[in-house]
Each structure stands twice: as structure tokens, then as C-alpha cells.
Amino acid sequence: MSAEGTAHAPTAGEYIVHHLHHLQSGHQKAVVDFSVINLDSVFWSVLIGAFGCWLLWLAARKASSGVPGRFQAAVEVLVEMVDAQAKGIVHNATSRKLVAPLALTVFVWIFLLNAMDLLPVDLLPWIWQRLQGNHEAYLRVVPTADLSITMGLSLGVLIVCLVYNVKIKGAGGWVHELFTAPFGSHPLLYPVNFLMQIIEFVAKTVSHGMRLFGNMYAGELIFMLIALMGGAFALSGTGIALFLGHIIAGSVWAIFHILIITLQAFVFMMLTLVYVGQAHDAH
């Protein structure tokens, strides 16, 4: 995994750099390069999304009017929670028929994507390297620690918001709002209003994706630092202390991270509902 193959053990910097590198479709030539696809993020996102849909389908197929099992009860609690939040934010009953299931899907999908961070940080990359026969093979397994994925999710929410703006207010009504809100309908204020509206859409979209990315990226990095503590094991006082610290810190951070991955999925879902709800409001 080091820069010189297996000739020597990787340094801490080499270890982290290797784990932060994606399996990509090509060589990235710039900080922003839309010709390059992070294949690992796409693979895990699609696979886990399909798994989440299967879980929800399984719960719906096995649902009964009798005493529910634990799995059905958990799904029912989740559905009721999302439905209650949707009713409190999106007051249009017709819109909620689509928005509430969308919010549920967003929550489950992002929670499962985040939960990949709870796997041992070296497990899947190690398996991938053995399958490839290459100790330098790259693989990242937490899609929400990839900015391209979180920004893609937030752009999807933006598209939904734009669709509802047009659907609820009409194309003419929405265009009129773009130029007359928030400061009024005076012609001299049209450019200012339009600029403010664009800034608002951009700011909401960027912050929506960056918030999720920042939290998950930091969490992944902390797991790597904890893993380095375990890698420092040696038959010495310092080595044993670092290994014990690795076990304790890893356990504590994993337990705390369960709250983080759930909270981040909930926040992303709530902001999705809020932004769609705002699309129903007329200024």
C-alpha cells in the first residue's frame, strides 16, 4: 500500500493518502475534472440503494394487520416518523404522496451509505487488493465521504424543488417570483431580486451537500487515525498502550458514530422536506 509497493510498511501519511484515493475511471488532471468517475462511490451507492429498496419492499410485503414483528415494527415507526415530519412541513396533501416516500427513501439510503463507515476501515480494501493481486489497488467504501456523491444528492433535491416550484406556481408565476421576491415588484429591483434568488438556490444546494460530506469525511479520517494506533502495536510499553488505545478509541468512536450517521441522514431528509416545502410557499 505504500508508494514503493511492499518493500516497506507504509508511513502514516502514505496509509491515509492511499485510503483517501478513489478507484477512478481515469487519471484526474485537475481539482474539478468531470471526465473522471469515482467507480467505487458509484458502485457502492447503487448497490446499497438497491439493498435499501429491497428492505423497504420486504417490509411492505410482509406487513400484516396482526401483531407486527420487530422488523415490521421498526419500519412502521420509521414511516410514521417521516410521515409526521412531512405533514408538518409540506401542507399540500397531493404533494405529500410523492414527497413523503421520497423523504423516506432519502433517509434510508443515506443512513445505509453512512453506515459503511462502521465497517473495519481496512477490510473491504484488503479484500479488493487480494482479488486484484495488487497491493496498490484503491477502494473507498463510504460514498457519502465523496463530495461528488453528496453534491449529486443535493442537486437531485434542487431539481425536485424546481419541479415543484413550476408545478405549484406555474411557469409564469415562478418566473414572476424570481424577479419580484424578496424586495418587491419594482422594475429597478428585478436584477437584485433575481440575483438573491439565484444565490439562495446555490447556497442551499452547496450547504446541503457539503454538510453531509464534511461530517462523513471527518468521521472516516478519524477511523483511519484510530487504525494507525492499532498498527503501531509492538512488544513495548508504548506499542501496547497504543494498541489498547486503538481498541478503546475505536469502540467509543464507533458507538458515537452510530448517532452521527443517523443524525446526518435525518438532517439531510429534513432539509429536503424544508426545501420542497418552501417551493410550495408563495411570496
Side-chain angles (χ1 to χ4, degrees):
M1 287 168 42
S2 70
E4 299 177 14
T6 58
H8 64 82
T11 64
E14 290 172 337
Y15 175 84
I16 292 177
V17 168
H18 183 275
H19 277 279
L20 292 179
H21 198 288
H22 288 279
L23 173 63
Q24 297 179 317
S25 61
H27 180 67
Q28 188 169 331
K29 300 177 181 178
V31 176
V32 179
D33 189 347
F34 292 108
S35 67
V36 177
I37 299 174
N38 293 337
L39 299 175
D40 44 12
S41 295
V42 173
F43 173 79
W44 291 114
S45 296
V46 173
L47 181 64
I48 295 170
F51 176 69
C53 291
W54 177 77
L55 283 179
L56 295 176
W57 171 83
L58 187 64
R61 187 174 70 88
K62 291 188 175 181
S64 64
S65 58
V67 178
R70 293 181 179 178
F71 178 60
Q72 180 182 335
V75 174
E76 287 180 355
V77 169
L78 178 60
V79 170
E80 290 174 1
M81 181 272 292
V82 174
D83 187 60
Q85 298 298 329
K87 287 181 179 178
I89 297 173
V90 182
H91 303 296
N92 188 308
T94 302
S95 296
R96 283 201 307 271
K97 293 180 181 179
L98 174 64
V99 174
L102 172 65
L104 175 64
T105 303
V106 165
F107 178 83
V108 172
W109 193 16
I110 293 181
F111 174 80
L112 292 176
L113 294 177
N114 293 349
M116 293 293 288
D117 212 9
L118 298 176
L119 294 174
V121 68
D122 288 309
L123 177 59
L124 293 179
W126 179 83
I127 294 174
W128 177 246
Q129 289 164 8
R130 293 304 177 273
L131 291 175
Q132 291 291 102
N134 178 11
H135 293 287
E136 295 289 337
Y138 298 112
L139 183 71
R140 290 185 69 182
V141 299
V142 186
T144 44
D146 180 0
L147 183 60
S148 61
I149 294 295
T150 59
M151 289 306 299
L153 290 169
S154 64
L155 283 173
V157 173
L158 174 64
I159 292 172
V160 172
C161 292
L162 296 180
V163 169
Y164 271 101
N165 267 298
V166 175
K167 180 179 179 181
I168 299 299
K169 304 165 187 175
W174 181 51
V175 171
H176 178 266
E177 182 178 276
L178 284 176
F179 288 93
T180 59
F183 298 120
S185 58
H186 194 283
L188 293 178
L189 295 176
Y190 287 172
V192 178
N193 288 329
F194 181 74
L195 180 61
M196 292 296 294
Q197 290 280 351
I198 297 303
I199 291 174
E200 180 181 355
F201 279 120
V202 172
K204 289 193 297 187
T205 302
V206 171
S207 64
H208 202 191
M210 288 293 292
R211 181 183 292 105
L212 177 60
F213 162 74
N215 281 278
M216 297 312 302
Y217 184 89
E220 185 182 35
L221 191 58
I222 290 175
F223 273 122
M224 292 177 192
L225 295 174
I226 293 173
L228 285 171
M229 295 174 62
F233 173 75
L235 293 177
S236 64
T238 302
I240 294 174
L242 285 172
F243 182 74
L244 292 176
H246 158 78
I247 296 175
I248 296 172
S251 301
V252 171
W253 181 246
I255 294 171
F256 180 66
H257 207 56
I258 294 174
L259 174 62
I260 293 177
I261 65 177
T262 306
L263 181 61
Q264 290 306 312
F266 180 78
V267 168
F268 197 95
M269 179 204 73
M270 287 298 296
L271 288 176
T272 299
L273 288 173
V274 168
Y275 295 157
V276 173
Q278 289 176 344
H280 288 70
D281 298 333
H283 294 280

